[in-house]
Amino acid sequence: VQVTPFTLDLVTALACQETGYIWNVLRRTLDTSRVLELCVGDTLDADKGRKAFPRTQAELLAKSKGQAMFDIARAGLVEMAKLVPGYAKAVENPRKFCHGFGIFQYDLQFFLQDPDYFLQKRYADFGASLGKALGELKAKQRTIGLGDRTTLSDLELVAVAIAYNTGGFKPSKGLKQGHFD
Protein backbone atom coordinates (compact mmCIF):
# COMPACT_ATOMS: atom_id res chain seq x y z
CA VAL A 1 0.00 0.00 0.00
CA GLN A 2 3.03 2.28 0.21
CA VAL A 3 2.53 3.88 -3.21
CA THR A 4 -1.21 4.36 -2.75
CA PRO A 5 -3.36 6.71 -0.68
CA PHE A 6 -4.67 3.65 1.17
CA THR A 7 -3.39 2.60 4.56
CA LEU A 8 -2.50 -0.72 6.09
CA ASP A 9 -5.29 -0.09 8.60
CA LEU A 10 -7.81 0.33 5.76
CA VAL A 11 -6.89 -2.85 3.91
CA THR A 12 -6.80 -4.75 7.20
CA ALA A 13 -10.28 -3.45 8.02
CA LEU A 14 -11.47 -4.53 4.55
CA ALA A 15 -10.12 -8.04 5.07
CA CYS A 16 -11.82 -8.19 8.47
CA GLN A 17 -15.12 -6.91 7.06
CA GLU A 18 -15.13 -9.12 3.99
CA THR A 19 -13.81 -12.45 5.29
CA GLY A 20 -12.71 -12.06 8.91
CA TYR A 21 -15.49 -14.36 10.03
CA ILE A 22 -13.99 -17.03 7.76
CA TRP A 23 -10.26 -16.71 8.29
CA ASN A 24 -10.61 -16.11 12.01
CA VAL A 25 -11.93 -19.68 12.28
CA LEU A 26 -9.71 -21.31 9.64
CA ARG A 27 -6.38 -19.81 10.75
CA ARG A 28 -6.44 -21.94 13.88
CA THR A 29 -6.20 -25.27 12.07
CA LEU A 30 -5.09 -24.64 8.47
CA ASP A 31 -1.95 -23.29 6.86
CA THR A 32 -2.07 -19.83 5.30
CA SER A 33 -2.34 -21.01 1.69
CA ARG A 34 -5.40 -23.14 2.48
CA VAL A 35 -6.99 -20.32 4.48
CA LEU A 36 -6.57 -17.96 1.52
CA GLU A 37 -8.03 -20.54 -0.86
CA LEU A 38 -11.10 -20.94 1.36
CA CYS A 39 -11.74 -17.21 1.71
CA VAL A 40 -14.83 -17.47 -0.46
CA GLY A 41 -18.35 -16.39 0.32
CA ASP A 42 -21.38 -14.35 -0.65
CA THR A 43 -23.94 -16.86 -1.84
CA LEU A 44 -26.73 -14.34 -2.42
CA ASP A 45 -28.57 -14.78 -5.71
CA ALA A 46 -31.32 -12.80 -7.43
CA ASP A 47 -33.85 -14.21 -4.94
CA LYS A 48 -32.05 -12.25 -2.21
CA GLY A 49 -31.61 -9.08 -4.27
CA ARG A 50 -28.38 -9.67 -6.18
CA LYS A 51 -28.29 -7.40 -9.21
CA ALA A 52 -24.73 -7.99 -10.45
CA PHE A 53 -23.72 -10.84 -12.75
CA PRO A 54 -24.25 -13.71 -12.17
CA ARG A 55 -27.62 -13.46 -10.49
CA THR A 56 -28.31 -17.19 -10.84
CA GLN A 57 -26.57 -20.46 -11.60
CA ALA A 58 -28.21 -20.51 -15.05
CA GLU A 59 -26.82 -17.07 -15.87
CA LEU A 60 -23.30 -18.21 -15.00
CA LEU A 61 -23.62 -21.49 -16.89
CA ALA A 62 -24.75 -19.64 -20.03
CA LYS A 63 -21.36 -17.89 -20.33
CA SER A 64 -18.15 -19.21 -21.84
CA LYS A 65 -16.31 -21.26 -19.18
CA GLY A 66 -19.33 -20.81 -16.93
CA GLN A 67 -19.50 -24.50 -16.00
CA ALA A 68 -15.84 -24.50 -14.95
CA MET A 69 -16.43 -21.38 -12.89
CA PHE A 70 -19.53 -22.83 -11.28
CA ASP A 71 -17.59 -25.98 -10.38
CA ILE A 72 -14.90 -23.92 -8.64
CA ALA A 73 -17.42 -21.64 -6.93
CA ARG A 74 -19.51 -24.56 -5.73
CA ALA A 75 -16.50 -26.60 -4.54
CA GLY A 76 -15.18 -23.57 -2.66
CA LEU A 77 -18.52 -23.19 -0.91
CA VAL A 78 -18.69 -26.88 0.00
CA GLU A 79 -15.11 -27.00 1.32
CA MET A 80 -15.37 -23.75 3.29
CA ALA A 81 -18.76 -24.72 4.76
CA LYS A 82 -17.23 -27.86 6.29
CA LEU A 83 -15.32 -25.53 8.60
CA VAL A 84 -17.59 -22.47 8.79
CA PRO A 85 -20.99 -23.75 9.91
CA GLY A 86 -22.96 -20.64 8.87
CA TYR A 87 -22.84 -21.83 5.25
CA ALA A 88 -24.38 -25.26 5.83
CA LYS A 89 -27.83 -24.17 4.60
CA ALA A 90 -26.39 -22.75 1.37
CA VAL A 91 -24.61 -26.04 0.68
CA GLU A 92 -27.94 -27.87 0.90
CA ASN A 93 -29.06 -26.06 -2.27
CA PRO A 94 -27.12 -27.57 -5.22
CA ARG A 95 -27.58 -24.35 -7.23
CA LYS A 96 -25.80 -22.19 -4.64
CA PHE A 97 -22.23 -21.10 -5.23
CA CYS A 98 -19.85 -18.39 -4.05
CA HIS A 99 -19.78 -14.96 -5.65
CA GLY A 100 -16.91 -13.49 -3.59
CA PHE A 101 -13.32 -14.69 -3.84
CA GLY A 102 -10.17 -13.96 -1.89
CA ILE A 103 -9.55 -12.34 1.45
CA PHE A 104 -10.92 -9.04 0.06
CA GLN A 105 -13.87 -10.75 -1.72
CA TYR A 106 -13.30 -9.81 -5.35
CA ASP A 107 -16.74 -10.28 -6.85
CA LEU A 108 -17.68 -12.79 -9.51
CA GLN A 109 -19.27 -9.97 -11.51
CA PHE A 110 -15.74 -9.44 -12.86
CA PHE A 111 -15.55 -12.99 -14.24
CA LEU A 112 -16.56 -11.76 -17.70
CA GLN A 113 -13.62 -9.30 -17.79
CA ASP A 114 -10.98 -11.50 -16.15
CA PRO A 115 -12.07 -15.16 -16.10
CA ASP A 116 -8.53 -16.47 -15.58
CA TYR A 117 -8.24 -14.70 -12.23
CA PHE A 118 -11.06 -16.91 -10.96
CA LEU A 119 -10.44 -20.07 -13.00
CA GLN A 120 -6.77 -20.17 -12.04
CA LYS A 121 -7.66 -19.42 -8.40
CA ARG A 122 -5.40 -16.38 -8.27
CA TYR A 123 -7.60 -15.11 -5.44
CA ALA A 124 -5.83 -17.66 -3.22
CA ASP A 125 -2.59 -15.69 -3.61
CA PHE A 126 -2.48 -12.81 -1.13
CA GLY A 127 -0.55 -10.53 -3.48
CA ALA A 128 -2.98 -11.08 -6.34
CA SER A 129 -5.96 -10.55 -4.04
CA LEU A 130 -4.45 -7.39 -2.62
CA GLY A 131 -3.76 -6.14 -6.15
CA LYS A 132 -7.41 -6.57 -7.11
CA ALA A 133 -8.54 -4.86 -3.89
CA LEU A 134 -6.23 -1.90 -4.45
CA GLY A 135 -7.43 -1.60 -8.05
CA GLU A 136 -11.05 -1.57 -6.87
CA LEU A 137 -10.27 0.96 -4.14
CA LYS A 138 -8.61 3.24 -6.69
CA ALA A 139 -11.61 2.89 -9.04
CA LYS A 140 -14.02 3.70 -6.18
CA GLN A 141 -11.86 6.67 -5.18
CA ARG A 142 -12.42 8.09 -8.66
CA THR A 143 -16.11 7.10 -8.73
CA ILE A 144 -16.90 9.09 -5.60
CA GLY A 145 -15.08 12.17 -6.87
CA LEU A 146 -11.71 11.96 -5.16
CA GLY A 147 -9.81 11.62 -8.43
CA ASP A 148 -6.26 10.36 -8.30
CA ARG A 149 -5.23 12.11 -5.10
CA THR A 150 -2.23 10.58 -3.38
CA THR A 151 -3.42 11.29 0.16
CA LEU A 152 -6.85 10.95 1.69
CA SER A 153 -8.24 11.97 5.07
CA ASP A 154 -9.64 9.34 7.41
CA LEU A 155 -13.19 10.33 6.43
CA GLU A 156 -12.31 10.07 2.74
CA LEU A 157 -10.78 6.62 3.31
CA VAL A 158 -14.02 5.51 4.99
CA ALA A 159 -16.02 6.88 2.03
CA VAL A 160 -13.86 4.84 -0.36
CA ALA A 161 -14.30 1.75 1.83
CA ILE A 162 -18.08 2.20 1.83
CA ALA A 163 -18.00 2.53 -1.97
CA TYR A 164 -15.89 -0.64 -2.12
CA ASN A 165 -18.59 -2.46 -0.14
CA THR A 166 -21.71 -0.96 -1.75
CA GLY A 167 -20.61 0.31 -5.14
CA GLY A 168 -21.08 3.97 -4.22
CA PHE A 169 -21.06 6.56 -1.47
CA LYS A 170 -23.88 9.00 -0.68
CA PRO A 171 -22.48 11.92 1.37
CA SER A 172 -25.99 12.76 2.66
CA LYS A 173 -26.08 9.41 4.49
CA GLY A 174 -22.75 9.97 6.21
CA LEU A 175 -21.25 6.82 7.65
CA LYS A 176 -24.58 5.00 7.99
CA GLN A 177 -24.37 3.01 4.77
CA GLY A 178 -22.90 -0.28 3.66
CA HIS A 179 -23.13 -3.72 5.21
CA PHE A 180 -24.70 -3.99 8.65
CA ASP A 181 -24.74 -7.03 10.87
Side-chain angles (χ1 to χ4, degrees), residues 20-32 35 83:
Y21 66 97
I22 294 171
W23 53 260
N24 190 41
V25 173
L26 303 183
R27 70 182 172 79
R28 298 164 199 227
T29 57
L30 302 176
D31 66 35
T32 303
V35 170
L83 302 164

Side-chain angles (χ1 to χ4, degrees), residues 5 11 25 31 40 111 138 173:
V11 296
V25 173
D31 66 35
V40 297
F111 173 72
K138 195 67 169 162
K173 287 187 166 185

Side-chain angles (χ1 to χ4, degrees), residues 139-149 156:
K140 296 307 179 190
Q141 177 185 343
R142 288 185 202 107
T143 298
I144 65 171
L146 298 175
D148 287 318
R149 294 181 27 208
E156 290 167 334

Side-chain angles (χ1 to χ4, degrees), residues 48-83:
K48 299 291 185 188
R50 183 174 175 88
K51 294 180 176 120
F53 170 84
R55 292 172 291 163
T56 64
Q57 176 194 24
E59 190 174 15
L60 178 58
L61 294 177
K63 299 299 179 184
S64 175
K65 301 180 184 176
Q67 182 66 57
M69 186 65 246
F70 174 78
D71 293 345
I72 289 169
R74 176 70 185 166
L77 170 62
V78 169
E79 289 302 308
M80 182 267 293
K82 290 176 183 175
L83 302 164

